[in-house]
């Protein structure tokens, strides 16, 4: 079983519209040279002969943060991004936002709002049927219910977590 968790910035390449993870030493204005393509992450994970793969991304790819744009001198309208599909066998992918939304920071918890509810969900809050076994479907429903509400309440922003995968009810 493989579990990948990334919390940080994402950014689009303005020309190709591809999504990139932004390492701490990356230059978002030269993202093709200094970032890590999300499509490459998915392609590499697809090569692993794992029983299951779970990817959790508390990042957005809008080119913006709660503090403002990470791409300097670019209109937010120019930062539309095409999210790659994670064509990975036996995989579940959770992302903090829909394309072009900003992931909200949760100052009270000192991490992302998505991470806050993801961890609460894993700790049992999302176990709706109280079976003691958390399904992917239960976790996604919990995130879809709580993250958008709190994002609007805290920042007046839309933030819609996205799930894709092959094992929703497992």
């Amino acid at each position: 079983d493989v579990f990948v968790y990334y919390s940080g910035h994402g950014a689009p390449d303005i020309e190709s519209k591809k999504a990139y993870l932004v390492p701490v030493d990356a230059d978002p204005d030269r993202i093709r040279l200094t970032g890590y393509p999300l499509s490459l992450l998915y392609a590499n994970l697809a090569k692993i002969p794992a029983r299951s793969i779970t990817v959790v991304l508390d990042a957005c790819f809008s080119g913006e943060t709660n503090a403002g744009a990470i791409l300097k001198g670019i209109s937010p309208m120019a930062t539309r991004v095409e999210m790659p599909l994670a064509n990975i066998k036996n995989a579940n992918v959770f992302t903090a936002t829909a394309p072009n939304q900003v992931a909200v920071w949760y100052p009270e918890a000192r991490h992302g709002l998505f991470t806050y509810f993801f961890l609460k969900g894993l700790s049992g809050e999302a176990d709706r049927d109280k079976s003691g076994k958390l399904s992917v479907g239960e976790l996604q429903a919990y995130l879809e219910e709580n993250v958008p509400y709190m994002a609007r309440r805290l920042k007046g922003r839309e933030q819609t977590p996205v799930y894709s995968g092959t094992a929703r009810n497992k």
Side-chain angles (χ1 to χ4, degrees), residues 5 28 32-33 35 44 48-49 56 59 61 70 72 78 82 84-86 90-92 99 114 118 130 140 151 166 170:
Y5 171 83
R32 273 187 276 177
L33 298 173
N44 286 336
I48 299 172
V56 181
F61 298 90
I70 60 174
K72 305 302 179 219
E82 295 173 8
L85 293 176
N90 297 323
N92 293 297
F114 176 80
F118 189 84
K130 306 298 181 208
Q140 183 58 21
T166 58
K170 292 183 181 179

Side-chain angles (χ1 to χ4, degrees), residues 86-133:
N87 292 320
I88 307 169
K89 184 180 175 186
N90 297 323
N92 293 297
V93 178
F94 294 90
T95 57
T97 69
N100 307 310
Q101 291 180 335
V102 175
V104 172
W105 180 254
Y106 194 22
E108 182 178 307
R110 297 179 21 186
H111 50 65
L113 183 64
F114 176 80
T115 293
Y116 176 77
F117 283 109
F118 189 84
L119 294 174
K120 278 187 68 124
L122 287 181
S123 71
E125 292 282 323
D127 185 10
R128 291 186 175 194
D129 64 6
K130 306 298 181 208
S131 66
K133 293 183 180 181

Side-chain angles (χ1 to χ4, degrees), residues 60 62-69 76 97 100-105 113 146-161:
C60 65
S62 65
E64 293 189 49
T65 71
N66 286 314
T97 69
N100 307 310
Q101 291 180 335
V102 175
V104 172
W105 180 254
L113 183 64
N146 289 285
V147 173
Y149 168 78
M150 191 59 83
R152 283 189 302 274
R153 186 169 168 223
L154 288 174
K155 298 288 183 179
R157 289 187 178 267
E158 292 298 316
Q159 180 176 342
T160 308

Side-chain angles (χ1 to χ4, degrees), residues 1-62:
D1 296 312
V2 175
F3 184 88
V4 176
Y5 171 83
Y6 174 81
S7 178
H9 293 296
D13 174 44
I14 297 303
E15 292 176 23
S16 70
K17 308 293 187 216
K18 291 184 179 180
Y20 285 79
L21 300 175
V22 182
V24 70
D25 60 348
D27 177 355
D29 292 317
R30 297 176 41 220
I31 200 65
R32 273 187 276 177
L33 298 173
T34 62
Y36 188 79
L38 188 56
S39 60
L40 181 59
L41 173 67
Y42 291 159
N44 286 336
L45 288 171
K47 294 175 184 177
I48 299 172
R51 180 175 52 182
S52 70
I53 297 175
T54 301
V55 178
V56 181
L57 300 174
D58 191 351
C60 65
F61 298 90
S62 65

